[in-house]
Amino acid sequence: MNQKKYWRGLEELQDSPERKKNAEDEFREPLPFDEPQSLLETPTPRRDFLKYLGFSITAATVAAGCEIQVRKAIPYLVKPEEITPGVPNYYASTYCQDGDYCPILIKTIDGRPIKVEGNNLSSLTAGGTSARVQASVLSLYDTARIRYPMINGEETTWATLDKMVLQGLGDLGTGSIVILTSSIISPSIQQAISDFIVKYPQARQVTYDAVSYSGLLMANKECYGKQAIPAYHFDQARCIVGLDCDFLGTWLSPVEFARQYAVNRKIRQDNPRMSQHFQFESNMSLTGANADYRYVHKPSQSSAIALALYNAVANLKGKPTLAGEPLTDSRLTAGIQKTAKALGAQEGHALVVSGSNNPHVQVIVNGLNEMLGSGGRTLDWSSPLNYRQGIDQDMEQVLDDMAADRVGALLVYQVNPAYDYYRSDAFRVNMGRVKLSISFNERQDETTVLCKYAAPDSHYLESWGDSSPRQGYFSLQQPGIAPLFKTRQFLESLLVWSGAAQTDPLPYIQDYWKKNIYPHYNNIYPQLGNADWQTWWDQSLQNGVVEPKVTPAAVAAHFSGNMAGAAAGLSPAAAQGSLEIVFYENVAMGSGKWANNPWLQEMPDPITKCTWDNYVCISPALSDQIGATITRFNEVYHHRPVARLTIGGKDILLPVLVLPGLHPEVMAVALGYGRSNSTGMVAGDVGKNIFPFISYNAQNQAREYYSTGVKIVKTAETYPLGITQTHNSYEGRPIIRETTLHDFSLDPSALKREELAEESRYGKDYSADATLYPQIYESPGIRWGMSIDLNSCIGCSACTIACIAENNVSVVGKKEVVRAHEMQWLRIDRYFDGDPENPQVVFQPMLCQQCSNAPCENVCPVAATTHSDEGLNQMIYNRCIGTRYCENNCPYKVRRFNWRDWNGADSFADNLYLEDKANVMMNEDLTRMVLNPEVTVRSRGVMEKCTFCVQRLQDAKLVAKKAGRPLIDGEAVTACQQACPTQAIAFGNINDKASEVYRIRTQDQHFRSYYVLDLLHTLPSIDYLAKIRNKDPEDFFSEPPQHVL
Amino acid sequence: MSLKYESTVREPLINGDKTFHQVTEDIIRPIETRPGKLWYVGLTLSLCLLAFGIFSVSWQVYYGVGVWGENKTVGWAWDITNFVWWVGIGHAGTLISAILLLFRQGWRTGVNRAAEAMTIFAVLCAGQFPVWHVGRIWDVFFIFPYPNSRGPVWPNFVSPLMWDVFAVSTYLTVSLLFWYSGLLPDLASVRDRARTKIRKWAYGIASFGWTGTVKNWQRHEALSLVLAGLATPLVLSVHSVVSMDFATSVIPGWHTTIFPPYFVAGAIFSGFAMVQTLLILTRRILHLEDYITLGHIEAMNKIIMLTGSIVGIAYMTELFDAWYSGNFGEGGAFWWRIFGPYWWAYVMQITCNVVSPQVFWFKKLRRNVPFTFIMAIVVNIGMWMERFVIIVLSLYHDWLPSSWSYYTPRWPEIGFFLGTFGLFFTGYFLFAKYFPVIALAEIKALLKTSGESYKDKMEPIEEESTAQFIQQAAHAHEGG
Amino acid sequence: MAIKNFVIGCFQDEPQIFEAVKKVRLSGFKLHDVYTPYPVHGLDKAMGLRGTSLHTAGFVYGLLGTLTAVGGMGFCTAISWQLNIGGKPHFPLAAFIPITFELTVLFASVGMTMTFCWLNQIMPGVKKHIFHHRQTDDLFVVAIELTSHTSAVEVSQFFQSLGAIEISEQRAEEGWWYGNFARQEPYQEAGLTQQAVTP
């Protein structure tokens, strides 16, 4: 037996304890692996690992794309089964924020959500999205998110927090617990709240909506006995009347309504029919901009208008009219008559909606719909909408209770009354009186900073969840990434505090669904038959949405409205000549929840085309009065006069923006600006907060979004506004083609006649014969083409944000927008024509037209932009030297130059453009995780532009190639097309005779189809479909060409 | 061989009673004596401007073109305006030396040397702009057609910017050759009368060892004649090519077939204005009134008036076409050019270029030196405005009203412009000190026929009968 | 190249020089060369020199330029690497015209100037013998080379008869070499320069 002992190194010989220890575990540091126990306590949990991974891969992408030294990417140590580096995964989920709802797909690359797309399986949105939905992916990487639970602003662990909270809840004594939430459409969260209330009987849930729909809910309660909102069927309506109701932009569920609306706005040229849309409104809303007939009135007249419309229809139908204040304005009365006639003619296919928060007005409107037999047709009570549930009075009550020390604990979820309640000051004061205050909000917003405890909720892209937008319709929410920070879902917190055995959200949700939903829906999947729970659940999770097998037939509800009473309760119109102001939500900001999202802040408002601010919109007439007239000489300057407004005795300074289509005595200001600096780098000091100017009408028990007796005085100072389009008229140029339904149905070819006559002078084939050089370039395989329908484009700008997200388009910040340096590849041109008091509006999405004879290509000295054989106008970034000649020579002005180093992808050190907080934020490591690794980040000094999302086209082609088949139409989808809620954009291969684009151009819509500036013989690949207005020819305004010397 | 007779009706091109030696003395004196205070002041000032220009450009190169006022709609502004302006100025020199040589315009000899120098410096300044205005200067070599491993990828010869590269560099080279070949004999004269060793050595090298043998002169004559013949179409082509940057585009206000002649006329116009500016200063500072006479100034004023009117006609034609074409883009562009927010630029262009030169119908004003000087400045301002109007006012309101925009310059691009002035005058001051500013040999060739003192000797010939004269002429021919 | 002896006569006026040249050619002296401060038209004919063919050279260079331009651009765009740029053909001749023209002019002028220097044997640093420092100023200098059967004296007298204002005998290097004009050349010390007497 050999007892010889060999020793390696002296320490082994001495055999020190450390060496023993080291010898035992070969890794000195604990590995960043997922330890099952106490995840959050581990120094570097898996989520951090994923985070580093995600970041480093972005960094590598950025580096690879541009000429800066390559930073190393960390490869997977253990590759997750379902992830292939570089190959995107899509997870069905749901976007759901304070009642705003949209079923989505999360596109993740290397475990990193980089894009949100609509879910086509939903019958409500059919794959549509909104700008906010598209931008929500950026908010996942928001630097201002709270990263850990906090007590009085100090970091703590969840364990400690839970202990403290439970203790606090324990010794509340008599004090009640108020769970202040936004409208919650998640059944499981709702369930959890009731569980919580069971545990703590003194608790009650109060729903508070930043922008109130109380009037509507109360009216419905009175008329139909249900405090709910019926499902609207705009797709069934042939005549739509909107009263101060922006149902395409901000009201209830714009994405859903826009889809429905578009159904009857799209036109078939063989049998042209479309709905007719009347709009009565005080400010120019997105919806009003799309209306066939739009009438402007003062906000205080809205009651009178509802009444007048009711009476006019009643007269037609020989029904009893209602007594009340008559409408004096002749223009309006005429409009009312016209509208009533149209409504009457469409009985059963009419729909009147009102955005008023005055219950009496809503009652009148309900009565009106009853008279028109909308119930059971366009107004459906079979499955009401859950989007909004807040009753203003409840919130008032909460405030009183707080003042009277009756509130012991306040749990704040997704709401921010300290900012957006009209009595925010009172709220702030009373917060001090609340013993136990907990905020679940994801950031240090105005309310959270007042709360003792911050229990940050995870971002929706990190969370499990479900929602029921509408009775009987459900959708599921699954995370696209593990929580980036030590945040915890609201649901989980509730479960923990109500002492539930199972506190993990997923099992809880599954449990809820197994009990309440699965039994009724187990047979909705034909291919599965009566599926067992697990298969059913997996299928549902994959689909994201769960809907009734057969769409429930629309049903009416028994109407029991007291019309006379309502008429009596209407609020009187203010005196003539007194100025009034209306407070509205704009499409990007809404109630201000998204203030810290640079993409949305830099999104030009669809109507005013202004970014990064709120401002007071006034009519040209009023601007003359206060001496702020906009002329062709000063329209180009971005510095606009500042006015002092006096609203209800309070003063506020706001920049003036002159907007045609406003009532001469009406001003409009957007809500949702002027957030506190703590809410985020960008949100702070952008615009002014208008919520405090909202008033509460005690008699109606509802908030009022307008104010009368307003004064406006122009001050000496000016203020720069980031307006991206300063000229409003298209000067009658043939870049827009529009006509009336009447003329179009008489002779569809009239639209094209002039053009054909002109082109025929060049020979048979205009594109080949009208040029010095013959067309020699064939596209043997694919030739990409796009067709944009001006009728269904409502200008919502979802495409603009989708493009930014997909193509890593830089945010430049306000200072640069003011200098016309914005980078958006896809812009929406908004033109007014006709009467400046009340113009016609047309939206035209403008992106690179991918011209076959591209003027930009000819002039590039280094051949940095050339043509692909698929008809794409390619931009070769690393060949570009930046002469900007192509930009100058682009007749569509869609090329964008990197004026500064927006994103650190430059050859110079530390010359990154950081003059704006937005640029700082967008260049944070965290924020950069949103960058799409499939798209180069452009360096300073190069030109860039739309490429039809060439990376997506390549993906689609590869998929087809792998499957060994030709590309199927609809397989290659551009980001803008995907995002569009109205399917206004068709895209595909025009060599494929079966493709939609080909059919639109050559058969279905060839009379409407036209090319912008085809007189230049640029031969664009994008055609537009002429806008058809459902107007009487005599009312239609077609602008004559101007300024031909 | 030239006839040794010129009518006394023609006014002398060289004033005063001069011998060959006197001429040499007068013209070479500035080189051999210390320059005056004015010269030092001027040079320092120019160097300061140059330094500021270099600073401005470095700033722009480091932080990006965004530090300029250009934007998504107006992609070119001061940069290309200045480029076109300088190139235009660079036309007079070659025009005077080449075209006037072909036309046998004796008076050119007084001014051609300075004019050519001016041309060269102007073109150097012009060249700066297309080079430094790009977004990624470090990649600018992409424009050269050199074999490479990228495919190889070649530049795009269809691009007018590419044409510019060739046109301007060719023009610079040819002007340089023309100028220097003319300088050789004069540098030789400086060398041969030089007293200091250093000057003898320097001018010895600079003069290439020229001795002035008959054969040398014969070839020299041939060379300058052919170079003149080549430079004439060249000088016309350069600005035509520059104008094609715009003419071949699709932007209303740019896409115009009359641009080439219109630009050339404008170039000569501004070129002569600049020659006036410089020569009026030079003759004053270097006391060369006898060689750069009122006659010269008047002759150039006539040309200014002519070209000014041609430019005026071009403006009218543009407007007419805009209206007559019935094209909304074209019409709109010009409507906005005149009635838009930039109206003042257009007004300046018209007043300075079309209206003001008409005063030269009056002989009194044509021969009034201070007035001419002011006019020259006015014309140069006007021509700068013209280029600005063409470039910015066409872009800022083009096809799609949605993108209409405005432009205001920022300090770095202004600094860049001033910097080129620094470059230009630094060059010119050094030239005036170290080179004969008047073509010595050519003046001498003229002296005996067009010199004031020699005019008197013509009188006896004037009295001669034709027969005698012919006999004499024949006699003179026996040499050949 | 060799160092030889010359007698030079300096004249003041153009007609005299014509006269002189004519006489020299008749007298049979070996006329080395004539130096004038400016181009005297017709003197070359008077001396019986043949006209220069610089123009022809220029034409050839120009042609070369044209071919280079068209060939080069054609190769790049149509042969080496074809691209679809703005839908134009790969050999858009019309668009090649400007560059072709420029290169023609460039080649012609650069080529000619170089030939000019070559023929005249001039270039930076070249030095030649200067017979009289005023030959580039105001004197017309006729240089006659002394051969075995011509003496300095008779040549001087000959010049005198023609009315030369200054006559001198010089040793001189007749060709060109690299040198510094500021320095005296060795041969100039060796050969004394004598002033011929004028009665």
Side-chain angles (χ1 to χ4, degrees), chain B residues 8 37 94 158 184 197 359:
Chain B
T8 46
K37 202 191 251 84
T94 318
V158 172
L184 283 175
K197 272 191 166 324
V359 301

Side-chain angles (χ1 to χ4, degrees), chain C residues 156-157 160-161 164 167 196-199:
Chain C
S156 319
Q157 282 160 349
Q160 211 166 8
S161 66
I167 304 161
V197 280
T198 43

Side-chain angles (χ1 to χ4, degrees), chain A residues 67 632-633 636-637 724-727 729-730 733-735 819-822 827 829 831 846 857-863 877-885 887-889 891-893 897 899-900 907-911 939-942 1013 1015-1016 1043-1045, chain B residues 61-73 75-76 79 133-136 138-139 142-143 153-156 158-162 245 249-251 254 323 326-328 331-332 334-336 339-341 343 395 398-406 410:
Chain A
E67 302 161 4
R632 67 169 187 271
F633 296 109
V636 286
Y637 302 121
T724 59
Q725 178 182 349
T726 53
H727 193 77
S729 157
Y730 65 87
R733 300 183 171 190
I735 53 183
R819 298 183 52 206
H821 285 176
E822 73 271 12
R827 64 172 195 266
D829 294 344
Y831 296 112
M846 187 48 69
E857 292 173 8
N858 290 320
V859 297
C860 176
V862 294
Y877 302 127
N878 48 9
R879 176 75 177 169
C880 176
I881 60 172
T883 64
R884 302 187 295 293
Y885 197 175
E887 177 193 39
N888 290 337
N889 204 28
Y892 310 93
K893 288 286 173 281
F897 184 65
W899 297 100
R900 299 291 295 265
S907 316
F908 289 78
D910 55 29
N911 67 341
S939 75
R940 183 257 295 186
V942 308
L1013 296 178
L1015 74 160
L1016 296 176
H1043 306 327
V1044 172
L1045 284 168
Chain B
V61 166
Y62 191 77
Y63 289 106
V65 186
V67 302
W68 288 355
E70 296 167 348
N71 58 45
K72 67 179 183 202
T73 317
W76 285 347
D79 44 8
H133 93 294
V134 302
R136 304 201 302 169
W138 49 92
D139 284 336
F142 284 168
I143 62 169
V153 179
W154 301 104
N156 173 16
V158 172
S159 164
L161 267 188
M162 204 63 199
D245 284 347
S249 79
V250 299
I251 301 303
W254 281 15
W323 164 76
N327 177 312
F328 62 89
F334 281 89
W335 192 92
W336 282 97
F339 303 110
W343 60 273
L395 286 171
D398 67 341
W399 291 106
L400 297 189
S402 62
S403 319
W404 288 359
S405 149
Y406 195 72
R410 304 191 131 207

Side-chain angles (χ1 to χ4, degrees), chain A residues 397-504:
Chain A
Q397 187 58 47
V398 171
L399 242 70
D400 299 347
D401 291 356
M402 285 166 78
D405 293 333
R406 285 196 294 273
V407 178
L410 186 70
L411 280 61
V412 183
Y413 173 60
Q414 280 197 352
V415 292
N416 186 11
Y419 161 72
D420 55 24
Y421 198 53
Y422 76 101
R423 274 162 64 194
S424 46
D425 44 2
F427 180 84
R428 268 190 239 101
V429 172
N430 294 336
M431 275 300 277
R433 304 165 149 277
V434 179
K435 264 216 227 114
L436 177 63
S437 53
I438 308 169
S439 164
F440 299 92
N441 296 352
E442 82 288 0
R443 63 183 65 247
Q444 284 280 31
D445 57 28
E446 294 79 350
T447 308
T448 309
V449 291
L450 300 173
C451 291
K452 188 163 192 296
Y453 301 100
D457 187 12
S458 297
H459 189 270
Y460 85 96
L461 290 171
E462 304 167 329
S463 309
W464 286 99
D466 58 358
S467 48
S468 169
R470 176 176 168 187
Q471 220 174 68
Y473 288 74
F474 301 92
S475 73
L476 281 160
Q477 191 183 87
Q478 54 178 329
I481 187 172
L484 297 174
F485 308 120
K486 296 180 176 176
T487 56
R488 186 169 75 180
Q489 285 185 234
F490 173 59
L491 182 56
E492 189 174 346
S493 301
L494 277 184
L495 294 174
V496 171
W497 297 344
S498 43
Q502 174 51 276
T503 61
D504 259 3

Side-chain angles (χ1 to χ4, degrees), chain A residues 956-1006:
Chain A
K957 274 156 58 187
L958 282 175
V959 172
K961 194 172 183 180
K962 274 210 212 118
R965 54 169 172 74
L967 194 80
I968 302 165
D969 187 41
E971 209 172 359
V973 177
T974 65
C976 47
Q977 176 191 17
Q978 210 293 328
C980 183
T982 62
Q983 277 99 38
I985 300 175
F987 178 81
N989 171 11
I990 53 176
N991 283 349
D992 170 7
K993 301 276 175 284
S995 69
E996 190 189 356
V997 186
Y998 180 82
R999 277 186 287 104
I1000 288 177
R1001 285 187 189 172
T1002 55
Q1003 305 142 27
D1004 303 357
Q1005 301 283 13
H1006 66 283

